[in-house]
Amino acid sequence: MDQYLPEKVNINGEQFRIYLTQEEIQQRLKALGDQISLDYKDKKPIFIGVLNGAFVFLSDLMRYVTIPCEVDFLKLSSYGDEKVSSGNVTDLKNIDANIKGRHVILVEDIVDTGLSMNYLFKKLKQFGPASLSAATLLHKTEATHHEVELKYVGFKIANLFVLGYGLDYAQEGRNLGQIYILEE
Ligand code: IMP
């Protein structure tokens, strides 16, 4: 399948270059999928994807998971069109699934300050899951100052703005098949 994999991307006058290739991402996802399949054997986990950004990552990750599993989504307020977090989180869409007694894996595209993940952990724990863990494709380790427990991390990355593979800048770039980083 031909994917959208340009060398450079320009959005709103900002230039981005390739940071993680399609191959690197898929290899890592395969390893994560194998690990999750082992860790959750006979537990039928339910993945909860955080919209909009996590939909591409989750859709690929799930297909490397070789045990029965389910999926649902929730949505938080986004960055708007900015490159820095507003520092507020509000719910835009809640989960439909009943997760009481279930093994839940929360799936984010990227953990930056950790605010969203920290908020979602507290929120989902209130529903009484049997277990709750988190997976993120990217983790900006230096930027994270809220307490987060990340069981599955695709890549630890620098504290720079990235896009592609589900991540956007002003809603653009989600269809890129790999991850791009802002040129300094
Ligand atoms: P946090 O709550 O500060 O950890 O931010 C998490 C959310 O911010 C992610 O789910 C993304 O939607 C967004 N975000 C953080 N960093 C980036 C980035 O570099 N590119 C695109 N979106 C980002």
Side-chain angles (χ1 to χ4, degrees), residues 120-184:
L120 289 171
F121 244 75
K122 286 185 194 145
K123 180 186 159 82
L124 294 183
K125 268 187 184 155
Q126 290 173 1
F127 295 119
S131 70
L132 178 60
S133 70
T136 185
L137 175 64
L138 306 172
H139 184 198
K140 287 184 190 172
T141 46
E142 281 171 28
T144 306
H145 53 87
H146 294 275
E147 196 187 320
V148 287
E149 276 171 57
L150 302 173
K151 188 166 183 186
Y152 306 101
V153 176
F155 302 91
K156 292 179 179 173
I157 65 163
N159 190 10
L160 285 173
F161 194 80
V162 288
L163 96 157
Y165 198 73
L167 291 123
D168 75 306
Y169 175 34
Q171 294 306 323
E172 270 190 61
R174 294 194 199 275
N175 57 327
L176 292 158
Q178 52 197 2
I179 303 282
Y180 292 73
I181 197 157
L182 190 64
E183 281 194 337
E184 289 173 281

